[in-house]
Amino acid sequence: MIDRRYITNFDWPLLGVVLLLSMLGVLNLYSAGYSATGSATTVYLRQLYWLGLSGVIMVVVLSFDYRRIAEWAPYIYAGSIITLVAVLFVGKTVSGSQRWLGFGSLVFQPSELAKLATVIALASYFYHKDVKKGYGLSDLLAPAGIVLLPFILIVKEPDLGTSLLLLFILASMVLFVGIKWGAFLTLLGFGLTSVPFIWSLLKDYQKKRVESFLWPERDPLGSGYHALQSKIAVGSGKILGKGYLAGSQSKLDFLPEQHTDFAFSVFAEEWGFIGSILLIILYFLLILLALQVAIRSKEKFGTFLAFGILAMIFWHLVVNVGMVLGLMPVVGVPLPLISYGGSSAITTLTSIGLLLNIRMRRFMLQKGP
């Protein structure tokens, strides 16, 4: 018998926003695969399949007490590291990047789940490391190491966008749990002075992407092509858009990666400025509901885990939309639930399942120390 309090404490608005975003994502993928001749690819059907599988995983995540994950965190993290190492040896290479593991006809991107595994590991660390007056440099060595290991493995794939997201998530969680001013200023100074060194480590094509972000007109048919075509698609949508299935940039195949990294460009071209703003408002509603879960959680692990998930979704939104609008370099980050991707869908809906889990069990718990 299911305790009725689980149902009364269930976060129905959060589930509703996620379902609405998923539906918009499938409709947008159908349009992205719809050609000027009237034929359509099956990419939207494959996304439906992944969303269905992810939904089953989300229900499984809801079935157990999320606090047990704090105990499982080392094993989840170790499993994600093993898969990232496996990618370097037996991973599949697509478009010059070795990011996927193959299981028969299925392919899986371990770096996607590594983000959630890292969030869980960080939440577990901050939960067990109780610091009353803010974290100092020595306290932050362990969380820095937790992030640095997957960061290096993902950079070697290479996948600069996902690896940078790990740093953004770490910075967000550290600011949330509290950091001493001296440690903050030291890390800020270290980060700024490290820029020339980091630049020297980038591969040539990654440097070209940054240069194209600053001067896209230098190479409009090469390294600047993605950013320029995306901005043309977004701008051509104007206020109200060209209408569903009527986007010329995507239908005539000018827009690259329109199912994945630039799915938002397809949406913006067809639904215009108004539609784009409404979509972004939906994401901010999702983030606000996640923040509400974090604030109202009655114990610290739930609070840290919910905030880490919030940070992960927030930075995906900022980097993807910034990339599409030409405000950030093109680094290959998908927009959750809108871009096509099985690994991304599983990671996102598993994360949403954890948020719902924390929310529905708050009545069982008392505030921790």
Side-chain angles (χ1 to χ4, degrees):
M1 181 70 71
I2 298 177
D3 191 327
R4 291 183 61 182
R5 289 175 295 178
Y6 286 137
I7 297 175
T8 55
N9 284 278
F10 194 82
D11 199 334
W12 296 105
L14 176 59
L15 180 63
V17 171
V18 169
L19 290 175
L20 186 54
L21 282 170
S22 301
M23 182 187 72
L24 289 174
V26 171
L27 289 172
N28 193 57
L29 287 175
Y30 178 79
S31 179
Y34 190 84
S35 71
T37 60
S39 61
T41 66
T42 59
V43 67
Y44 74 98
L45 290 176
R46 281 180 279 156
Q47 182 74 350
L48 278 173
Y49 164 78
W50 284 116
L51 288 173
L53 177 62
S54 305
V56 172
I57 295 172
M58 186 172 74
V59 172
V60 172
V61 169
L62 286 173
S63 65
F64 58 84
D65 189 336
Y66 71 88
R67 289 172 295 174
R68 297 174 66 183
I69 296 177
E71 303 166 13
W72 301 340
Y75 307 105
I76 295 171
Y77 179 76
S80 74
I81 296 300
I82 290 171
T83 58
L84 288 175
V85 172
V87 167
L88 299 181
F89 291 97
V90 297
K92 288 192 172 183
T93 301
V94 178
S95 302
S97 297
Q98 192 170 332
R99 302 176 183 174
W100 294 267
L101 289 178
F103 301 95
S105 60
L106 296 176
V107 291
F108 172 71
Q109 190 172 351
S111 58
E112 282 294 326
L113 271 186
K115 285 180 288 193
L116 180 57
T118 303
V119 166
I120 291 171
L122 290 172
S124 177
Y125 172 81
F126 291 126
Y127 171 64
H128 289 103
K129 180 80 174 179
D130 190 19
V131 177
K132 301 295 183 185
K133 296 182 179 178
Y135 288 79
L137 285 177
S138 59
D139 303 314
L140 296 176
L141 288 176
I146 289 171
V147 170
L148 192 60
L149 185 53
F151 174 85
I152 292 172
L153 292 170
I154 294 171
V155 163
K156 290 181 72 66
E157 289 181 359
D159 186 350
L160 182 62
T162 302
S163 54
L164 288 176
L165 281 177
L166 291 179
L167 298 183
F168 293 158
I169 292 169
L170 172 64
S172 302
M173 291 186 74
V174 167
L175 290 175
F176 180 72
V177 298
I179 180 173
K180 293 178 179 174
W181 271 106
F184 173 75
L185 293 174
T186 302
L187 291 175
L188 182 63
F190 177 76
L192 293 175
T193 55
S194 298
V195 171
F197 175 70
I198 294 172
W199 177 260
S200 69
L201 295 179
L202 294 179
K203 296 181 181 295
D204 288 341
Y205 82 92
Q206 291 169 331
K207 291 179 180 177
K208 282 186 177 178
R209 283 183 174 181
V210 177
E211 291 169 353
S212 298
F213 158 64
L214 297 172
W215 305 284
E217 292 78 12
R218 275 189 180 180
D219 189 8
L221 298 178
S223 57
Y225 182 78
H226 290 55
L228 284 174
Q229 292 301 323
S230 175
K231 286 195 285 187
I232 291 171
V234 173
S236 64
K238 299 183 179 178
I239 300 297
L240 297 177
K242 295 178 178 175
Y244 188 56
L245 303 179
S248 56
Q249 285 296 111
S250 55
K251 304 298 170 286
L252 298 176
D253 287 332
F254 286 111
L255 188 64
E257 310 292 345
Q258 51 190 275
H259 300 102
T260 52
D261 300 343
F262 292 93
F264 182 75
S265 308
V266 177
F267 189 91
E269 183 182 23
E270 298 188 344
W271 297 97
F273 177 77
I274 300 297
S276 301
I277 289 296
L278 291 176
L279 181 64
I280 291 173
I281 288 174
L282 269 182
Y283 273 105
F284 273 102
L285 185 56
L286 170 62
I287 290 166
L288 284 176
L289 290 169
L291 182 61
Q292 192 177 61
V293 172
I295 292 173
R296 293 186 176 181
S297 171
K298 293 194 173 182
E299 55 81 43
K300 288 185 176 178
F301 178 67
T303 298
F304 297 152
L305 181 59
F307 187 83
I309 291 171
L310 176 163
M312 182 173 70
I313 296 172
F314 173 79
W315 286 114
H316 267 91
L317 173 67
V318 169
V319 174
N320 180 275
V321 174
M323 181 180 79
V324 163
L325 298 180
L327 302 175
M328 299 183 74
V330 177
V331 289
V333 170
L335 187 59
L337 303 175
I338 296 296
S339 297
Y340 171 75
S343 306
S344 175
I346 289 174
T347 303
T348 303
L349 290 190
T350 301
S351 302
I352 298 299
L354 288 171
L355 289 175
L356 294 171
N357 193 328
I358 296 167
R359 176 68 173 81
M360 68 189 280
R361 283 181 168 79
R362 62 188 294 269
F363 74 91
M364 300 168 56
L365 309 170
Q366 298 299 321
K367 272 283 186 186

